[in-house]
Amino acid sequence: MPEILKILLLEDRLEDALLIERQLKNEKTQFVVERVQDRESFNTAIATEPILVLADYKLPGFSGLEALQLLRTKYPHAPFILISGQIGEELAADAIKQGADDYLLKDRLVRLLPAINSALEKKRNFQERERLDQEVREQTAFIETVLNNLGDGVLTLLENGSISSINLAAQNLFRYQTPQIIGKHFKTLIARNSQDQFQSSFGRFVLRDDITGGKRAVNETVGQRKDGTTFPMEIRINEMTLRSERRFVIVIQDPVRQRLSTRLQLKKEAVS
């Protein structure tokens, strides 16, 4: 909870507002209350996102549920607690369904502070998830940028062999666009007469448990493009774990091109 809790209180009855404040004072809570009494003043108050909203269920020409709808339209996760003199279980359940974090009866305000703490904690948890998700999105974008600037083809596979990502070099090599290949089995990219051999080799690799940490393997096989043409390729398989799930990174190189590149490099070194 913040050192000083700022509360937006929607309540038309002064005595009820004082009752709520008295309960918070009894809990030794440091707070500041902005009290509003109708739709217009509530709309004005939520021009910026409130830390916490406490709202009476029924007011002249306005209601707590209407206030909730206005709040959720602008701030889907702002803490909101409904407070009423009388509210049946059905109405209370409906309020929760519409997005209220909790509901309290005015004659049972002993639950006020725990309800406030719970609503604020819920908001903090949401913000933390949002922060982590944003980090994942940024890391994913960075990794995609790096992979798309590599000369080698790179794919990631799920444990069942289906393709979960493919970089630009691999798309150009096999002449598939990303939506055309994601979810398909990796053997789609291997010449038909070489598929059984690769499937057997990949299966043995997946089942190996004799190496601690990331596993690696190198295989030479025959690749097949979307148009049916084939070419020799070297496959380097690396195992990794992502969010407790096994993933396999496939790096694809043309062994003929690699040998030519090595020879050219050796010639350059010999000349120099």
Side-chain angles (χ1 to χ4, degrees):
M1 181 181 294
E3 289 186 9
I4 299 179
L5 178 62
K6 296 180 180 179
I7 300 171
L8 175 59
L9 175 61
L10 176 62
E11 175 59 73
D12 63 313
R13 291 170 56 88
L14 178 59
E15 56 269 34
D16 287 343
L18 293 175
L19 183 67
I20 291 169
E21 292 186 26
R22 189 179 304 115
Q23 180 63 38
L24 290 172
K25 288 177 181 177
N26 290 340
E27 298 285 355
K28 309 299 183 185
T29 304
Q30 298 294 315
F31 65 92
V32 174
V33 171
E34 177 185 0
R35 179 172 163 241
V36 295
Q37 303 180 55
D38 53 32
R39 181 191 301 270
E40 183 178 355
S41 57
F42 182 79
N43 256 327
T44 301
I46 62 172
T48 57
E49 184 173 1
I51 301 297
L52 170 70
V53 177
L54 303 179
D56 190 7
Y57 176 72
K58 190 172 183 180
L59 303 96
F62 196 36
S63 74
L65 290 182
E66 289 175 292
L68 174 61
Q69 291 169 3
L70 290 173
L71 183 73
R72 286 288 174 260
T73 299
K74 299 183 68 174
Y75 313 110
H77 302 282
F80 183 99
I81 297 174
L82 196 64
I83 300 177
S84 175
Q86 290 184 337
I87 184 171
E89 290 185 5
E90 187 174 337
L91 290 176
D94 185 50
I96 298 298
K97 188 182 297 184
Q98 291 188 44
D101 292 291
D102 209 336
Y103 68 92
L104 302 172
L105 295 176
K106 290 180 179 179
D107 61 355
R108 298 180 187 175
L109 289 179
V110 67
R111 285 189 55 238
L112 180 58
L113 188 60
I116 288 174
N117 286 331
S118 177
L120 294 175
E121 180 68 19
K122 181 179 176 182
K123 175 67 180 293
R124 284 193 295 269
N125 290 340
F126 167 77
Q127 291 173 326
E128 179 64 11
R129 289 195 302 271
E130 281 288 288
R131 185 187 66 79
L132 293 175
D133 287 346
Q134 180 62 28
E135 285 185 2
V136 170
R137 287 191 292 269
E138 291 174 356
Q139 290 171 2
T140 300
F142 173 75
I143 291 169
E144 287 180 353
T145 300
V146 172
L147 291 178
N148 284 332
N149 281 280
L150 293 177
D152 294 327
V154 180
L155 304 93
T156 57
L157 308 184
L158 303 181
E159 193 170 349
N160 62 7
S162 63
I163 299 169
S164 57
S165 71
I166 180 170
N167 77 339
L168 187 59
Q171 292 178 57
N172 293 334
L173 181 63
F174 292 103
R175 299 171 187 171
Y176 280 97
Q177 296 298 312
T178 299
Q180 298 171 325
I181 199 64
I182 295 298
K184 295 186 181 295
H185 198 279
F186 183 70
K187 68 181 182 182
T188 304
L189 305 179
I190 296 177
R192 186 163 299 176
N193 59 2
S194 299
Q195 287 181 358
D196 289 343
Q197 180 183 358
F198 172 78
Q199 188 81 343
S200 175
S201 176
F202 182 71
R204 289 195 303 272
F205 179 81
V206 170
L207 293 174
R208 282 171 59 191
D209 58 3
D210 58 316
I211 302 177
T212 58
K215 296 188 296 186
R216 296 175 175 81
V218 179
N219 289 280
E220 287 196 4
T221 186
V222 180
Q224 180 170 296
R225 302 182 179 92
K226 183 181 178 184
D227 61 9
T229 57
T230 60
F231 61 95
M233 66 179 183
E234 181 181 89
I235 299 174
R236 296 178 180 272
I237 308 175
N238 296 271
E239 182 182 351
M240 61 179 290
T241 301
L242 180 64
R243 294 184 178 179
S244 302
E245 295 183 0
R246 297 176 77 190
R247 292 287 191 274
F248 299 91
V249 179
I250 309 295
V251 179
I252 298 169
Q253 297 177 327
D254 181 340
V256 175
R257 179 173 61 82
Q258 286 294 108
R259 284 194 287 269
L260 288 174
S261 177
T262 301
R263 288 174 186 172
L264 288 172
Q265 183 64 31
L266 291 173
K267 285 182 180 181
K268 288 181 181 179
E269 292 175 358
V271 171
S272 61

